């Protein structure tokens, strides 16, 4: 508890853009997010006041960080499970807890648990040898291989198109599962928040557009999605949050197929598919996550406009006019575009920010968001 304000202290492990935007939400609740950051120039470390420096793999650093926190949460899933269990045994309140978070950390355990719960999942298998992959493929290539731990933004995922490629991948020693390549129509995401009390709030189902393994656009609500399928996706996310015991945000990444929806991945934290909620929903995913871990009542998830589009801003090639000049031009041409820059060093293809646009017409709003993101990336 912060003795100056009488308000609780939330600690977030990880100093990336999710922690930065969670800190932004904490301010309106009278708080300053405590952030465990690996470097003083990490995205959240540049804006938060209480930023111990340490790594998420160091149990001693995690113990010290947790002192004085009323709740500890995460901006990524990479904290070793055994460290979370150790802190829990010492009385630290951690959300989501180890028993839930492991299903976002380990894809093999996730697939096993989802299958037990009867959730729709692709055909999959654990593999240890190249012949295991060949047997799974059954002559139908490609198949999708995934590292069981540590993958994100397209990393740790491989499209395996031949026995030779399978042998090369298995030889790396990475722990893997394989899945069938799903004949998908598009990708969706269902985002829900759950409190320790058990209250659940669901956001409108969104469409996510991926390019080279990176989400480049999110459309809320998902265009052309029937009410029945939207409710199915929301109910699935709610059921998973309850069954897995998630506290905080749960993002369920989905494939939409001709036959229905299939679960692709789970994330138990604020998620790229929910960045649009800062301006586009009555309660942002970041405030909702804080409300959940503090066991506050959930906020409204209603849309602030009929159409909301978020476009990620990726780092472009060096050169051109400065980002400051790009902002000048963007705001002059589209005053309604809302920009969030993460304070990151620019590298080609790296997420350095996002733009959100609200409106009534889907075609117009998508065009405005794409134009703004392209301008900030390329300056042309």
């Amino acid at each position: 508890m912060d003795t100056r304000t009488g308000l609780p202290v939330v600690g977030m492990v990880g100093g990336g853009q999710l922690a930065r935007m969670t800190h932004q939400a904490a301010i309106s609740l009278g708080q300053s997010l405590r952030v465990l950051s690996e470097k003083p120039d990490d995205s959240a470390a540049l804006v938060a006041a209480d930023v111990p420096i340490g790594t998420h793999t160091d149990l001693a650093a995690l113990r010290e960080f947790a002192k004085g926190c009323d709740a500890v949460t995460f901006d990524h899933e990479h904290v070793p499970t055994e460290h979370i269990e150790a802190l829990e045994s010492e009385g630290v309140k951690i959300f989501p807890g180890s028993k839930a978070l492991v299903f976002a950390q380990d894809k093999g355990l996730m697939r096993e648990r989802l299958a037990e719960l009867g959730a729709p999942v692709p055909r999959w298998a654990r593999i240890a040898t190249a012949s295991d992959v060949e047997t799974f493929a059954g002559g139908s290539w490609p198949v999708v291989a995934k590292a069981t731990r540590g993958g994100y933004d397209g990393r740790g995922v491989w499209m395996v198109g031949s026995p030779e490629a399978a042998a090369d991948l298995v030889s790396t020693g990475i722990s893997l599962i394989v899945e069938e390549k799903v004949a998908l129509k598009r990708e969706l995401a269902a985002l829900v928040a759950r409190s320790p009390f058990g209250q659940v709030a669901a956001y409108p189902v969104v469409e996510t557009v991926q390019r080279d393994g990176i989400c480049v656009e999110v459309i809320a609500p998902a265009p052309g999605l029937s009410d029945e399928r939207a409710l199915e996706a929301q109910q699935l996310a709610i059921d998973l949050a309850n069954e897995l015991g998630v506290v905080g945000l749960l993002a369920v990444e989905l494939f939409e197929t001709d036959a229905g929806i299939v679960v692709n991945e789970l994330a138990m934290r604020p998620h790229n598919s929910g960045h649009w909620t800062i301006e586009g929903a009555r309660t942002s995913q970041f405030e909702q996550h804080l409300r959940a871990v503090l066991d506050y009542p959930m906020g409204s998830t209603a849309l602030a406009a009929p159409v909301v589009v978020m476009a990620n801003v990726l780092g472009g090639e060096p050169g051109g006019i400065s980002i400051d000049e790009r902002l000048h031009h963007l705001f002059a041409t589209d005053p309604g575009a809302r920009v969030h820059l993460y304070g990151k060093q620019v590298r080609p293809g790296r997420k350095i920010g996002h733009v959100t646009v609200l409106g009534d017409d889907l075609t117009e709003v998508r065009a405005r968001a794409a134009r703004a993101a392209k301008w900030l990336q390329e300056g042309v």
Side-chain angles (χ1 to χ4, degrees):
M1 188 71 67
D2 188 328
T3 57
R4 299 166 301 169
T5 64
L7 291 166
V9 175
V10 176
M12 182 167 268
V13 177
Q17 66 261 28
L18 298 181
R20 183 184 179 104
M21 288 181 277
T22 304
H23 169 68
Q24 180 182 359
I27 292 171
S28 65
L29 299 179
Q31 303 171 25
S32 177
L33 190 72
R34 190 170 199 222
V35 176
L36 181 65
S37 181
E38 291 193 17
K39 304 188 296 295
D41 61 350
D42 281 342
S43 184
L46 296 174
V47 296
D50 187 0
V51 187
I53 302 300
T55 176
H56 60 276
T57 58
D58 182 346
L59 180 56
L62 291 167
R63 280 198 177 105
E64 187 63 28
F65 174 73
K67 291 179 181 178
C69 289
D70 295 273
V72 173
T73 187
F74 312 96
D75 95 332
H76 59 73
E77 288 99 349
H78 306 313
V79 180
T81 307
E82 61 271 21
H83 289 2
I84 302 173
E85 291 171 338
L87 294 175
E88 289 172 328
S89 71
E90 295 163 12
V92 178
K93 291 184 178 181
I94 298 182
F95 303 114
S98 59
K99 288 182 171 57
L101 188 62
V102 70
F103 297 113
Q105 294 177 317
D106 188 304
K107 291 180 173 60
L109 294 177
M110 176 193 71
R111 285 285 179 248
E112 289 173 348
R113 185 66 179 127
L114 291 182
E116 289 173 0
L117 294 172
V121 296
R123 186 174 67 90
W124 75 283
R126 294 183 183 272
I127 60 102
T129 67
S131 63
D132 290 341
V133 182
E134 287 190 64
T135 300
F136 179 84
S140 180
W141 303 92
V143 296
V144 181
K146 295 181 178 180
T148 55
R149 285 182 174 254
Y152 67 98
D153 279 352
R155 298 168 192 169
V157 179
W158 299 269
M159 201 68 67
V160 180
S162 67
E164 294 76 21
D168 288 343
L169 181 57
V170 169
S171 70
T172 64
I174 298 170
S175 175
L176 299 165
I177 63 169
V178 290
E179 299 177 353
E180 65 179 330
K181 185 176 183 293
V182 175
L184 60 100
K185 296 166 60 179
R186 60 176 170 174
E187 297 193 41
L188 305 171
L191 188 69
V192 299
R194 180 178 178 272
S195 71
F197 180 73
Q199 185 186 9
V200 179
Y203 286 93
V205 178
V206 300
E207 179 178 348
T208 64
V209 180
Q210 316 290 323
R211 187 180 304 135
D212 298 326
I214 297 176
C215 177
V216 295
E217 182 186 40
V218 177
I219 307 166
L225 189 67
S226 69
D227 291 343
E228 293 78 13
R229 186 153 290 177
L231 287 172
E232 178 189 0
Q234 289 176 314
Q235 189 62 57
L236 173 62
I238 291 169
D239 290 345
L240 291 178
N242 285 325
E243 291 287 350
L244 300 178
V246 177
V247 171
L249 265 292
L250 169 67
V252 182
E253 299 178 37
L254 299 162
F255 295 142
E256 184 182 17
T257 71
D258 288 333
I261 54 175
V262 176
V263 178
N264 177 28
E265 302 283 358
L266 302 179
M268 298 180 189
R269 51 172 169 77
H271 191 255
N272 197 191
S273 67
H275 290 355
W276 65 272
T277 62
I278 298 175
E279 289 86 22
R282 297 300 179 190
T283 309
S284 80
Q285 66 162 342
F286 301 99
E287 180 178 331
Q288 202 80 287
H289 186 71
L290 288 171
R291 289 190 187 210
V293 302
L294 292 169
D295 211 6
Y296 289 172
M298 298 290 94
S300 169
T301 58
L303 286 159
V307 177
V308 184
V309 175
M310 185 280 296
N312 277 318
V313 178
L314 306 180
E317 296 297 331
I321 64 175
S322 70
I323 192 69
D324 179 55
E325 290 180 277
R326 296 179 196 189
L327 285 170
H328 274 275
H329 287 287
L330 171 59
F331 292 150
T333 57
D334 193 345
R338 295 299 305 273
V339 176
H340 295 262
L341 297 177
Y342 304 151
K344 288 182 167 185
Q345 289 289 323
V346 176
R347 293 199 302 266
R350 185 188 198 191
K351 289 180 191 172
I352 60 169
H354 72 266
V355 178
T356 305
V357 177
L358 288 68
D360 300 307
D361 181 82
L362 175 60
T363 301
E364 177 193 0
V365 173
R366 287 189 78 176
R368 287 171 56 200
R371 184 171 59 243
K374 180 179 174 64
W375 170 251
L376 290 174
Q377 178 181 358
E378 301 176 359
V380 293

